[in-house]
Amino acid sequence: MDKDALAVEFIKIYFSCHPDKLPKDQEQAFEEILSLHKKFKNRVIGDLKKKSERFVDNYFDKKDNNYL
């Protein structure tokens, strides 16, 4: 799944759980969605990427050590 699509899914879940957080004005709502999209894309997905890289690195390190 694409990072942007994943961030959009997070935003959908967030606003379905917190409908009162979305402003009534369309421009303000759009700005709020954009800011959340950036936060989710950078922070949450970045953290998931780091954890995934660490897992892969640990897996290959252990695999390489078993051959010694």
Side-chain angles (χ1 to χ4, degrees):
M1 184 177 258
D2 181 69
K3 284 194 253 184
D4 290 321
L6 187 60
V8 168
E9 292 300 320
F10 278 127
I11 291 170
K12 285 180 186 178
I13 292 168
Y14 177 79
F15 283 121
S16 66
C17 293
H18 305 285
D20 55 328
K21 301 274 184 167
L22 190 63
K24 299 295 180 191
D25 182 39
Q26 289 181 350
E27 292 296 320
Q28 289 177 347
F30 184 72
E31 293 298 323
E32 181 70 25
I33 289 171
L34 282 179
S35 70
L36 278 177
H37 183 269
K38 288 178 186 177
K39 285 180 186 177
F40 280 126
K41 188 174 175 184
N42 293 335
R43 189 177 301 161
V44 175
I45 297 172
D47 288 346
L48 291 174
K49 184 178 175 185
K50 287 178 188 175
K51 288 179 184 178
S52 175
E53 289 172 352
R54 277 191 242 136
F55 174 78
V56 169
D57 289 343
N58 287 337
Y59 174 76
F60 283 113
D61 287 345
K62 288 178 185 175
K63 185 178 175 184
D64 292 339
N65 289 337
N66 289 336
Y67 289 115
L68 295 176

